[in-house]
Amino acid sequence: RRFYQALELGDGSNVALLRSDGRVLVSRERAGLEAGSSPWLEALRVMGAADALHMTLDAPQAGPMRVSLRRVAGYPAVVVVGRSDHAILKEWREKTWTNVLRTFVITALAAVLLIAFLRQLARHERVTAQLHQSQKLEALGTLAGGIAHDFNNVLGAILGYGELAIEHTAAGSSQRRYLDNIVVAANR
């Protein structure tokens, strides 16, 4: 009994030594012999005359459980080891939920980083477009300044020759009036 009670197979596990008729001789969970029907009768019935059996049993106290039975050679006894499906899957479920949580956090962080990257990319494209527009306006300003300078040179020549022509024409003449209109227009 001390040996069976010292066995630790995890939560939801059972270890027992049975007589061939199903009566529990030694159990990790129980200190003494129990009268009444054995919970292992169904498993013994399915086992029949075989030396070993591995099966799923629907135990009333633990629900579905995986059970292995093996006959003890030379004795009318059977060793039973069982563990509930819930206990078997408990650790897996915990790891699965941990992995799901980690995956969710990593996915959320990746989504945040992707959104930040896309916003930065959009901002970069906006700034680049503004820079190109600014460069276009600067080029246009330089062109306009060059044209204005050239036009101013032409107007300077017109004003200079117009003023020289005024000096050589008589006051009140029609030519003088035309030349005065040319100089006023060129100054404007």
Side-chain angles (χ1 to χ4, degrees), residues 2-187:
R2 278 182 291 196
F3 172 74
Y4 274 71
Q5 289 173 348
L7 291 175
E8 181 54 49
L9 302 176
D11 293 337
S13 64
N14 292 309
V15 179
L17 180 64
L18 310 176
R19 279 193 334 199
S20 295
D21 64 358
R23 183 155 187 190
V24 178
L25 297 173
V26 180
S27 174
R28 185 173 60 101
E29 288 75 31
R30 294 171 191 86
L33 294 177
E34 291 184 8
S37 66
S38 170
W40 307 109
L41 284 176
E42 175 66 19
L44 287 172
R45 186 188 63 72
V46 172
M47 183 178 182
D51 283 339
L53 173 70
H54 305 290
M55 65 178 285
T56 301
L57 179 68
D58 195 14
Q61 73 277 12
M65 62 186 319
R66 305 285 180 208
V67 178
S68 291
L69 296 96
R70 179 167 292 285
R71 292 198 187 280
V72 179
Y75 295 95
V78 177
V79 175
V80 178
V81 178
R83 190 162 189 207
S84 71
D85 286 355
H86 180 74
I88 292 170
L89 296 175
K90 180 181 178 185
E91 186 177 326
W92 177 82
R93 284 186 186 113
E94 289 172 358
K95 286 181 181 179
T96 300
W97 281 112
T98 300
N99 289 338
V100 166
L101 182 62
R102 284 180 185 160
T103 302
F104 176 74
V105 169
I106 290 169
T107 303
L109 287 174
V112 168
L113 289 174
L114 180 63
I115 290 169
F117 175 74
L118 291 176
R119 283 187 175 178
Q120 185 65 25
L121 185 62
R123 182 177 174 271
H124 176 72
E125 288 176 0
R126 232 182 11 259
V127 168
T128 303
Q130 288 174 349
L131 176 64
H132 285 124
Q133 184 66 23
S134 159
Q135 289 172 340
K136 287 178 188 176
L137 289 175
E138 183 181 355
L140 187 61
T142 302
L143 177 65
I147 292 171
H149 181 62
D150 290 345
F151 193 66
N152 194 29
N153 288 342
V154 171
L155 286 176
I158 291 171
L159 282 173
Y161 284 113
E163 288 174 1
L164 284 173
I166 287 174
E167 289 179 10
H168 296 301
T169 56
S173 69
S174 62
Q175 287 179 342
R176 177 75 176 249
R177 237 179 329 129
Y178 296 146
L179 289 171
D180 284 336
N181 285 339
I182 290 171
V183 169
V184 169
N187 278 327

